[in-house]
Amino acid sequence: MSSRHLHPERIADCFDAGAGDYEEVVWRNRQGAERLVAALPDLQYQDLLDVGCGTGLASLAMIERFALRSITGVDLSPGMLARFRSALEGVGGVEVRLHAADVLAMPVPADRYDVVLSTMAFHWFPEKQRALAAMARSLRPGGVLGVLTGGRGTEAEYRDLLAGLRPELPAALAESYESTVRDHVEMETDLLRAGLQPEDVWLERRQRLTPPERFLARWRAVAGHLIADLSPAEQVEIWHRIGAGLRSASGPEGFAYTFVKLFAVARRPAGPTS
């Protein structure tokens, strides 16, 4: 898939537009963020960098488990950051800094953070290896990185549905799976290349049933940038066709699909790397 479909400005516009409904349509992302935070080594984390922080699901899960001193959130979408700030208004004793920025241009210091998290954003980073290197640089020696992203094989049923629609849909919609997701071996290799030591990398696979309208709402919220170069009328027509396909493929209990999440926990070595 052409990297233009993952252009930061398009992604920011997409998530700005859906910021108000984001947590409702991707409610399972909260579960994933909590699962990742629960898997972190039991250390004394004080300073958190949350990359692609969205509305702050990962940061809020960290506050529940650890006595944080500071949170720095980075996200392309000012709308999502505004929701994040609102969610943190009732949290006392934690210094909060929020930056509207791309992962490759984060205005954050190197060697600074005890823990860096990225939950359900990594798959939209166009240059994933460079993104991991940027996050690794921000960790202090001995610090921990946690990533939650889409795993290879996720939503194969939806991908097949898209490929079977006629006339053909824009290639970016179906091709996004190949360019954005990872398997555990690919992620472990990427972490090592970034100078990190993998602690645990694993896939979790779930079989899910959901109303087709809910499935479509999630995809419109998180992947609208993939067809942002089309006119508004063309976009509406495409989502209408996909919605019809989903309804046709659904049974009485909804659309059945496989969802694969990839979790990764790694540590920056405390000593010099080779």
Side-chain angles (χ1 to χ4, degrees), residues 18-54:
D21 299 323
Y22 177 78
E23 290 191 24
E24 179 181 352
V25 298
V26 297
W27 61 278
R28 290 186 186 274
N29 283 4
R30 183 186 302 276
Q31 297 174 327
E34 293 171 351
R35 176 76 178 90
L36 178 64
V37 169
L40 297 177
D42 192 12
L43 303 173
Q44 293 185 344
Y45 303 108
Q46 292 187 309
D47 301 307
L48 163 66
L49 173 61
D50 192 346
V51 182
C53 59

Side-chain angles (χ1 to χ4, degrees), residues 5-238:
H5 296 290
L6 297 183
H7 192 280
E9 290 183 0
R10 291 189 177 192
I11 296 174
D13 289 344
C14 171
F15 283 93
D16 275 346
D21 299 323
Y22 177 78
E23 290 191 24
E24 179 181 352
V25 298
V26 297
W27 61 278
R28 290 186 186 274
N29 283 4
R30 183 186 302 276
Q31 297 174 327
E34 293 171 351
R35 176 76 178 90
L36 178 64
V37 169
L40 297 177
D42 192 12
L43 303 173
Q44 293 185 344
Y45 303 108
Q46 292 187 309
D47 301 307
L48 163 66
L49 173 61
D50 192 346
V51 182
C53 59
T55 58
L57 299 180
S59 289
L60 293 171
M62 285 291 293
I63 290 171
E64 288 293 319
R65 184 178 174 195
F66 300 105
L68 295 178
R69 176 175 59 190
S70 73
I71 296 172
T72 299
V74 176
D75 199 281
L76 286 169
S77 166
M80 300 289 270
L81 291 173
R83 301 282 295 188
F84 187 7
R85 188 176 295 281
S86 296
L88 290 172
E89 284 180 354
V91 177
V94 179
E95 181 181 0
V96 178
R97 303 181 187 90
L98 301 179
H99 303 289
D102 180 71
V103 60
L104 300 183
M106 295 186 292
V108 300
D111 309 321
R112 171 67 172 82
Y113 299 94
D114 304 304
V115 56
V116 175
L117 297 182
S118 183
T119 58
M120 297 308 289
F122 183 78
H123 40 273
W124 297 128
F125 297 161
E127 299 182 70
K128 293 176 176 53
Q129 191 62 63
R130 290 184 64 199
L132 279 176
M135 291 189 283
R137 282 194 300 272
S138 66
L139 281 169
R140 64 167 179 78
V144 173
L145 172 72
V147 175
L148 167 61
T149 187
R152 193 166 296 284
T154 194
E155 297 182 347
E157 299 85 355
Y158 178 61
R159 182 181 58 204
D160 292 344
L161 183 151
L162 295 180
L165 291 180
R166 294 293 181 273
E168 292 184 356
L169 296 174
L173 285 170
E175 291 175 1
S176 65
Y177 285 99
E178 293 306 314
S179 62
T180 58
V181 297
R182 289 285 191 272
D183 66 22
H184 62 291
V185 176
E186 292 168 322
M187 176 59 81
E188 186 164 329
T189 300
D190 289 345
L191 292 169
L192 290 169
R193 288 175 177 167
L196 298 168
Q197 181 58 49
E199 298 268 317
D200 198 3
V201 182
W202 73 100
L203 295 169
E204 292 189 359
R205 186 180 305 270
R206 301 286 189 271
Q207 301 300 125
R208 292 179 176 166
L209 280 165
T210 193
E213 292 78 12
R214 191 179 185 100
F215 188 97
L216 182 65
R218 177 170 64 82
W219 257 87
R220 292 188 69 164
V222 304
H225 58 278
L226 295 175
I227 55 172
D229 53 347
L230 301 179
S231 71
E234 288 173 316
Q235 294 179 45
V236 168
E237 191 271 337
I238 284 170

